[in-house]
Amino acid sequence: TYERAFMALGGVLLVLCMAALVYATVAMGIHLPGRAGEIEPGKVFTTPPFDNPGVHQTGPNQYDVVIIGQAWRFHPTEIRVPVGAELNFIATTFDVIHGFHIEGTRVNMMLIPGQISRLTYRFRKPGEYLIICHEYCGAGHHNMYGKIIVE
Ligand code: CUA
């Protein structure tokens, strides 16, 4: 009957919607923030791995990139990574909400007090990329940027 066909269509649309959401989350790199209470914001500089921000090799072609946002800079300000390597970004904030966006890429995270943001990315092309804070974080917001050198 028409009614059953209509219900089936509704079910198919629902599944498509969920698939689109999963695709958006995974493939497009839309970031789902971490859990609240993962880290104490005031103690990030003494809590591993944030006590040692920067690029750390974890495998043959694999690196952790540990980042802290603080009004109004990133720690570290400048990082160097190899082209093609798997980069696991691990980031948080010391104070207020910041953004972490690498221009020209899908790397786009919110840094939320108490939470750890994670995202994996590989650069296909060498070059210099600007890192910008794209969440308003106060008077120095427009000066909050960094650089990533892919070589
Ligand atoms: Cu940090 Cu805007």
Side-chain angles (χ1 to χ4, degrees):
T1 66
Y2 283 122
E3 209 168 293
R4 277 182 76 161
F6 204 72
M7 298 260 292
L9 184 66
V12 167
L13 284 176
L14 188 67
V15 168
L16 282 177
C17 273
M18 306 251 300
L21 187 67
V22 169
Y23 176 79
T25 306
V26 176
M28 310 288 288
I30 291 172
H31 177 70
L32 297 176
R35 284 163 285 125
E38 280 184 305
I39 185 162
E40 203 170 324
K43 290 187 178 169
V44 294
F45 287 101
T46 51
T47 306
F50 299 104
D51 57 342
N52 189 16
V55 181
H56 311 294
Q57 188 156 13
T58 54
N61 198 25
Q62 201 176 48
Y63 298 81
D64 280 350
V65 182
V66 179
I67 304 282
I68 303 166
Q70 181 183 14
W72 290 283
R73 59 163 296 192
F74 294 106
H75 303 268
T77 301
E78 186 178 303
I79 51 183
R80 285 173 184 272
V81 296
V83 67
E86 180 186 312
L87 306 176
N88 296 300
F89 287 91
I90 306 168
T92 192
T93 168
F94 174 74
D95 40 39
V96 297
I97 291 179
H98 296 284
F100 182 89
H101 173 55
I102 303 176
E103 275 196 331
T105 75
R106 66 167 176 81
V107 177
N108 186 330
M109 299 190 286
M110 257 175 100
L111 312 183
I112 298 168
Q115 303 190 11
I116 299 173
S117 302
R118 295 181 176 83
L119 189 149
T120 298
Y121 188 71
R122 267 175 219 271
F123 284 91
R124 304 287 173 196
K125 277 188 277 183
E128 288 191 8
Y129 298 78
L130 197 62
I131 301 169
I132 55 169
C133 174
H134 62 301
E135 295 289 334
Y136 184 74
C137 56
H141 164 69
H142 61 283
N143 286 326
M144 187 166 168
Y145 52 83
K147 187 161 67 169
I148 180 159
I149 300 159
V150 182
E151 52 196 7

